[in-house]
Amino acid sequence: MATPPRSTRRQKADQQGVSAARIRLGRVFRVESADYFLLLGTTLFLVVLGLVMVLSASLVESYLEDGGLLDQAVRQGVFAIIGIPAMLIASRMPERFWMRIAWPALIITCIPQLLVVATDLGIEDGGNTNWLRIGPVQFQPSEFIKVALVIWLGLIVTKKQDKLGDFTHGVLPILLVGGGAIGLVLLGGDLGTVMIMGAMLLGALFLIGVRLRLLLLPIVVAVVGFVIVAFSSENRMRRIMSFVDSNCDTGSADTLNSCWQVMHGTYALANGGVFGVGLGNSAAKWSWLPAADNDFIFAIIGEELGLIGAIVVIGLFVLLAVAFARVLRSSRTMFAKTVTAAVMVWVIGQACVNIGVVLGVFPVLGVPLPLVSAGGTALLTTLVAIGVVLSVARDPEAPARAAARAAARRARASERAAR
């Protein structure tokens, strides 16, 4: 019997290798649930939109600070390049992995925050000491605590799910440990981040079924603590007083200075009109609007893309909320319900606060627009947190369906070969 030519054998081997590669890729990117792809797609769209808007909003500030137009945009892009694969890797991890690392993650992430508030390594910015510099690296430990708190909350609620109707033995231990982690951030004076973390903790407990009467006392304590801390700082007092001052633009010099950011955010939105002045043509970013690429990036979006662009961004966050809600509704385990509820309150709540500040609904609280604002630490941790939700949103029946389809294809191929 003649031996096939070497070229034919090599061609067959190459075809077999391609087929094997297709099978391996099919296993990695197998069909997931519609909720999974809705959440993933909306997240990626917001990240891309954020990169474009950070590039536009930061050009002037980057040039004035560093002499390079693209410095801030490049930094944001680097964190996106790191964060998106990190999100996809996190989405492949099973629940038992997250539950195994929950306690170590919470303890490890609290250590840098202790360095922020207890050593000279902490950096003050805008009246808050919430940054840590180690050599050339500068980051916000509180953002990592958010992710760890999400995973830890999923673990502890799973263990105490039979006691969640008992305040003393069920809810109180969760609030004490979670409140302790939040208290470390409060020591740094970052009231905006503390508010988001507190809402994340209490909101997640409410969404998974803890009765409101068990949460009333913690809510009252949180509100009282918020008021006390807010009025204990002269900087925060000025911002609050400027917010309640109806004649902000005609007040004293101090009041006008406190109103500056909100006023020029409003001017930027008004200047954009319905259709906007065009991408890159913002006037407010020319040193008129502080934090144009961060806390007030929504104002730049409204100015450059107009009312239509602002509505699109709000619509994307509504779609993201719908994706979270669908994952929450279809979750089969208490861990999945808890982490989804926590991340939903975190991301959607923070987006509402940021947009509300720009629109003048809330006083300036200093929280970025998730996935859109400049800030590498915030972008990275938000993507990882969404990756945790994606990991519990994966369709558990997908492997069985994929195997059934593969078996059906093999059967049809065998029938055709037999004919």
Side-chain angles (χ1 to χ4, degrees):
M1 184 175 180
T3 303
R6 182 178 300 178
S7 59
T8 304
R9 294 199 303 270
R10 185 184 298 114
Q11 185 178 7
K12 288 183 178 180
D14 291 342
Q15 290 175 350
Q16 291 174 353
V18 170
S19 300
R22 285 203 196 102
I23 292 172
R24 286 194 292 269
L25 285 174
R27 289 175 180 173
V28 174
F29 298 105
R30 64 173 181 266
V31 176
E32 298 289 356
S33 65
D35 301 339
Y36 178 96
F37 286 111
L38 178 62
L39 179 56
L40 177 61
T42 308
T43 299
L44 293 176
F45 196 96
L46 280 168
V47 171
V48 173
L49 175 65
L51 292 175
V52 173
M53 293 313 304
V54 167
L55 172 62
S56 176
S58 66
L59 289 174
V60 176
E61 196 67 27
S62 293
Y63 179 76
L64 293 177
E65 288 183 356
D66 306 313
L69 291 174
L70 304 179
D71 286 357
Q72 179 60 53
V74 169
R75 283 196 296 268
Q76 189 76 357
V78 168
F79 277 99
I81 291 173
I82 297 172
I84 291 174
M87 176 183 67
L88 296 176
I89 292 172
S91 72
R92 313 310 298 178
M93 297 300 169
E95 283 188 13
R96 62 180 180 274
F97 169 80
W98 300 119
M99 296 175 74
R100 189 180 301 122
I101 69 168
W103 272 109
L106 185 63
I107 294 170
I108 291 171
T109 54
C110 284
I111 293 174
Q113 186 63 30
L114 279 172
L115 296 177
V116 169
V117 300
T119 70
D120 294 335
L121 295 174
I123 298 175
E124 183 176 344
D125 183 19
N128 301 327
T129 306
N130 199 31
W131 292 83
L132 181 66
R133 183 189 296 276
I134 300 178
V137 180
Q138 179 174 314
F139 62 97
Q140 281 182 284
S142 59
E143 293 294 332
F144 292 99
I145 294 178
K146 285 182 183 178
V147 181
L149 193 59
V150 166
I151 301 170
W152 174 85
L153 190 59
L155 169 67
I156 204 69
V157 166
T158 300
K159 290 185 174 181
K160 290 184 173 292
Q161 57 183 309
D162 296 332
K163 300 178 181 179
L164 292 179
D166 183 353
F167 180 81
T168 303
H169 299 94
V171 177
L172 184 59
I174 297 174
L175 296 177
L176 289 176
V177 177
I182 297 172
L184 287 176
V185 181
L186 183 59
L187 291 176
D190 191 348
L191 198 57
T193 301
V194 167
M195 186 184 70
I196 297 300
M197 295 175 72
M200 182 178 72
L201 180 61
L202 296 172
L205 291 175
F206 176 74
L207 288 176
I208 63 173
V210 176
R211 295 182 180 179
L212 184 59
R213 63 178 178 83
L214 298 178
L215 300 176
L216 281 178
L217 179 60
I219 291 174
V220 171
V221 171
V223 171
V224 172
F226 180 88
V227 172
I228 292 173
V229 175
F231 283 88
S232 66
S233 168
E234 183 180 352
N235 181 41
R236 297 191 198 99
M237 275 292 297
R238 283 200 307 268
R239 286 188 291 180
I240 293 173
M241 295 310 296
S242 65
F243 171 72
V244 299
D245 188 353
S246 59
N247 297 316
C248 192
D249 55 344
T250 60
S252 64
D254 289 339
T255 304
L256 183 61
N257 184 58
S258 301
C259 293
W260 183 272
Q261 204 166 18
V262 176
M263 286 173 55
H264 284 274
T266 303
Y267 295 160
L269 291 172
N271 187 41
V274 176
F275 299 103
V277 298
L279 187 64
N281 295 326
S282 167
K285 69 185 179 184
W286 287 85
S287 300
W288 288 104
L289 181 61
D293 61 344
N294 197 317
D295 298 348
F296 274 74
I297 197 169
F298 186 75
I300 304 300
I301 292 173
E303 184 180 14
E304 295 190 347
L305 305 182
L307 177 64
I308 294 175
I311 290 176
V312 168
V313 172
I314 294 173
L316 286 170
F317 279 105
V318 170
L319 189 61
L320 195 66
V322 170
F324 280 126
R326 288 172 62 92
V327 174
L328 178 62
R329 185 183 62 181
S330 61
S331 296
R332 291 175 169 83
T333 66
M334 186 58 75
F335 179 87
K337 289 179 183 293
T338 306
V339 298
T340 303
V343 177
M344 179 171 70
V345 175
W346 166 7
V347 176
I348 304 304
Q350 186 169 316
C352 290
V353 170
N354 177 275
I355 294 172
V357 167
V358 176
L359 297 178
V361 178
F362 305 120
V364 178
L365 295 169
V367 294
L369 187 61
L371 303 172
V372 178
S373 290
T377 310
L379 176 61
L380 176 61
T381 53
T382 304
L383 286 172
V384 171
I386 293 176
V388 177
V389 178
L390 288 172
S391 73
V392 301
R394 289 168 56 195
D395 187 356
E397 298 177 359
R401 287 200 301 269
R405 286 195 295 269
R409 285 195 297 269
R410 288 194 296 270
R412 288 193 296 269
S414 300
E415 290 177 1
R416 287 193 296 269
R419 292 172 187 170

